Amino acid sequence: EDAAVGIALSPHSEFSSEMKDNIKNSFIEFTNYLTDKGHQVIYFLFDRITGETPREHKMVQQIFQGVKHQERIKILDNNLNPGQILYVMKNYCHAMICMRLHSAVFAANAQVPFFSVSFNQMQKGFMELLDQPELEMSLFDQFSVEELKAKFEYLIGRHHEIKNKLSAKRKKLRNL
């Protein structure tokens, strides 16, 4: 499988060092899992677009240093504009893992099946709005490498159905 899997992280400033380390280490292992299965992985950085300090860049660099197959990892430049990010998602990503609400909105708009690792009510609410609450994983009570793998396999196993649901919801949301 040569399809790319996109990942957008959000090491929020309010997270403890322990939580940030757990996210980093979990995504090193999850990225290795994806590349071992033959996937390319694209890390999307949103921190410059949103005007935040570059915590994402730092964490993604640490993940990159820890993975086995660096040649299968791409880190998208922070200087891309929203249209370019949407283009990459739509044309290169088979699936997305979204820890940032912005990335979930982009993935839904690009009709790329995704699941959300949520740390606030907005992300949970967005997944409910899309009628896909089963594709939301709480960072605080459900997050683990095993859960990332399980959600990913669920997503891939229902890829066509989820893509169709996103397409229908996108049309409805655009008409609001």
Side-chain angles (χ1 to χ4, degrees), residues 10 38 41 57-58 66 70 79 83 94 102 104 111-112 119 130 132 136 139 141 146 149 155 166-167:
S10 183
V41 176
H57 185 265
K58 181 181 174 191
Q70 292 180 346
N79 295 318
H94 183 65
H102 293 81
Q111 299 169 61
V112 174
F119 56 89
L130 295 175
Q132 307 222 30
E136 183 254 343
L139 179 64
D141 3 299
E146 292 70 32
K149 291 176 185 178
L155 186 74
L166 281 173
S167 180

Side-chain angles (χ1 to χ4, degrees), residues 39-56:
H39 295 285
Q40 297 281 337
V41 176
I42 301 172
Y43 274 92
F44 288 81
L45 302 177
F46 279 80
D47 46 13
R48 270 209 205 127
I49 292 170
T50 58
E52 297 172 39
T53 58
R55 289 184 299 270
E56 287 174 30

